[in-house]
Amino acid sequence: MSSVIEDRLSELGLVVPEVPAAVAAYVPALRDGNYVYTAGQLPFVEGTLPETGKVGVGEGLVSPERAEELAQLCALNALAAVRGVVGSLDRIAQVVKVTAFVASDPSFTGQPAVANGASMFLGRVFGDLGIHVRSAVGVAVLPLDAPVEIEFVFKIED
């Protein structure tokens, strides 16, 4: 059976990947009633991080523009985790909350722009159902030296 959301992703040139394996003792997503909560999603591509390090401007840092792309990968991985729990992305009734963690160089203050990579992507995919509340937080370091980690809350239709 065809999925409207996966068809929209295909139009954007994207495919929902397999659910990334957990890197510690947790599950990628968990349903509680009409909500699915994801664990922090890293920007894995086929099991590896395409970039590592701190986000900022300057040599040896992950550029803010690249970090924004990585945030979109986090969102795509979150969709895989949700699909793994509820079966179809068409059951998503609302993107509720996005919490972005950005491993930041001490001088970097553009965490909201990095988080926009996930937020704007969800808007393109879900339209008005992609409108959500959000936090964007700078941190010293993330697991596996990832530049970005994002967790999500989705409301699900029964």
Side-chain angles (χ1 to χ4, degrees), residues 1-157:
M1 187 163 104
S2 181
S3 163
V4 172
I5 297 301
E6 291 195 47
D7 289 347
R8 191 165 304 133
L9 287 166
S10 181
E11 291 169 9
L12 295 171
L14 299 169
V15 175
V16 179
E18 294 299 314
V19 179
V23 298
Y26 62 88
V27 294
L30 183 68
R31 182 171 182 177
D32 182 17
N34 286 340
Y35 293 90
V36 173
Y37 301 83
T38 74
Q41 298 295 310
L42 299 178
F44 284 122
V45 175
E46 297 179 6
T48 61
L49 291 173
E51 300 274 346
T52 57
K54 305 281 186 285
V55 178
V57 178
E59 188 162 333
L61 298 171
V62 177
S63 75
E65 297 80 15
R66 179 63 175 141
E68 193 174 332
E69 294 169 358
L70 296 171
Q72 177 178 308
L73 287 173
C74 293
L76 192 59
N77 288 334
L79 294 180
V82 171
R83 184 180 65 182
V85 171
V86 301
S88 171
L89 296 177
D90 292 341
R91 295 186 62 201
I92 294 175
Q94 184 71 52
V95 180
V96 176
K97 171 91 177 173
V98 173
T99 306
F101 302 95
V102 181
S104 301
D105 180 74
S107 65
F108 183 68
T109 60
Q111 293 82 9
V114 171
N116 279 346
S119 293
M120 293 170 66
F121 167 73
L122 292 168
R124 286 191 304 276
V125 173
F126 292 99
D128 287 346
L129 301 180
I131 296 171
H132 55 271
V133 298
R134 184 182 84 186
S135 299
V137 181
V139 297
V141 67
L142 289 168
L144 306 177
D145 200 24
V148 182
E149 178 177 4
I150 307 180
E151 55 188 40
F152 302 82
V153 179
F154 296 89
K155 185 174 182 181
I156 303 300
E157 291 180 342

